[in-house]
Amino acid sequence: MEVEAKPPSFVPMPQHALSFQPQGVEIVLWRVPNSGPWRDDLHKSYPERHLGNMGALRLRELQATTEAMDALLGHDAWHLTHDPHGKPCLHCNGSTLASIGISHAQLGDDTWAAVARWNDRQHLGGVDLADIHDPRISRVAPRVMGDEELERWQGQEAWAWAAKEAMFKGHGPSLDYRTEAVLTQKTTSPSGNQGELQGLVRGEAWIGQWILVNSRLLLVWSCEP
């Protein structure tokens, strides 16, 4: 009698379970292998995009976002547009939700996407994914961080960068990274792979949280006050 082979237990699942449940926001983190099959229905979710002109990695980002959004909403009857400043707007069940957060990252042979929806639909939320070993972050740091931040976050520039990206997505588009989006404090839990963030956006208090996935992929999002 033949026994059906089961996949190895170490095969990563496409949806990554967060190590704790964030308060005030729903987040889905999704992984798509760059060598995996393609979806042929992306045009339904992005009616304004010219998909035929996009490169393979950009299409993978849209695919990962679509999978994550389907999981977040529990259905696929939605589509995304963007406002004149590039912010995503979710259209679902006849309503439009502007407080939706989306981010992508390439990590090895995979494309990751994070989508976030805040309970307070008016919250100026932002979410960001960053590879903490991405050499581009340390190169761009002097252009987006002031001297005090550069000294404070030396070796941890990815946290400052991801926090600024989350701030910008919630409070942009006219937000100066050096002077108006500043990370002031980072705490780390005993586990070492998650914690809280504090900063200032145009002088007003900003609060965020972070999780480190697979010891390399950093997920940062803003919290409701």
Side-chain angles (χ1 to χ4, degrees), residues 89-151:
C89 298
L90 174 65
H91 304 270
C92 178
N93 297 324
S95 61
T96 300
L97 176 63
S99 59
I100 192 79
I102 300 173
S103 186
H104 321 96
Q106 296 292 329
L107 196 65
D109 296 325
D110 297 325
T111 297
W112 291 76
V115 297
R117 176 175 61 174
W118 286 263
N119 295 348
D120 178 0
R121 300 296 190 252
Q122 304 304 312
H123 177 63
L124 298 175
V127 62
D128 194 63
L129 288 171
D131 177 0
I132 64 171
H133 298 310
D134 188 338
R136 294 174 299 178
I137 294 177
S138 58
R139 290 200 297 267
V140 77
R143 298 201 298 270
V144 299
M145 299 169 65
D147 293 340
E148 183 179 344
E149 273 190 299
L150 284 171
E151 181 177 356

Side-chain angles (χ1 to χ4, degrees), residues 144 148-149 152-153 160 163-168 171 175-186 197-208:
V144 299
E148 183 179 344
E149 273 190 299
R152 176 178 296 176
W153 304 116
K164 289 171 182 284
E165 283 283 278
M167 294 174 189
F168 178 81
H171 298 269
L175 188 69
D176 186 288
Y177 275 32
R178 286 173 59 92
T179 61
E180 297 180 323
V182 179
L183 179 64
T184 58
Q185 185 173 340
K186 166 180 170 280
L197 302 168
Q198 294 183 28
L200 295 171
V201 176
R202 298 190 182 96
E204 299 292 330
W206 178 89
I207 300 174

Side-chain angles (χ1 to χ4, degrees), residues 9-155:
S9 59
F10 58 81
V11 172
M13 298 298 290
Q15 181 173 350
H16 181 87
L18 301 182
S19 56
F20 69 96
Q21 181 60 47
Q23 298 296 313
V25 59
E26 301 171 85
I27 300 176
V28 172
L29 182 59
W30 203 274
R31 178 190 64 87
V32 169
N34 291 335
S35 59
W38 290 96
R39 288 184 62 144
D40 59 5
D41 60 349
L42 293 179
H43 61 281
K44 295 191 305 183
S45 300
Y46 309 95
E48 294 181 342
R49 297 297 182 95
H50 300 289
L51 304 184
N53 298 330
M54 289 186 178
L57 291 182
R58 183 64 183 123
L59 288 172
R60 287 297 184 193
E61 291 176 351
L62 295 185
Q63 179 170 341
T65 300
T66 302
E67 301 282 1
M69 196 71 73
D70 286 351
L72 177 70
L73 300 176
H75 60 79
D76 61 0
W78 58 272
H79 68 275
L80 283 176
T81 62
H82 293 79
D83 71 12
H85 303 297
K87 285 190 176 183
C89 298
L90 174 65
H91 304 270
C92 178
N93 297 324
S95 61
T96 300
L97 176 63
S99 59
I100 192 79
I102 300 173
S103 186
H104 321 96
Q106 296 292 329
L107 196 65
D109 296 325
D110 297 325
T111 297
W112 291 76
V115 297
R117 176 175 61 174
W118 286 263
N119 295 348
D120 178 0
R121 300 296 190 252
Q122 304 304 312
H123 177 63
L124 298 175
V127 62
D128 194 63
L129 288 171
D131 177 0
I132 64 171
H133 298 310
D134 188 338
R136 294 174 299 178
I137 294 177
S138 58
R139 290 200 297 267
V140 77
R143 298 201 298 270
V144 299
M145 299 169 65
D147 293 340
E148 183 179 344
E149 273 190 299
L150 284 171
E151 181 177 356
R152 176 178 296 176
W153 304 116
Q154 184 176 8

Side-chain angles (χ1 to χ4, degrees), residues 18-20 193-195 209-213 217-219 221:
L18 301 182
S19 56
F20 69 96
N193 63 358
Q194 64 190 57
Q209 291 185 305
W210 64 271
I211 291 178
L212 195 58
V213 179
L217 184 64
L218 177 64
L219 170 64
W221 65 93

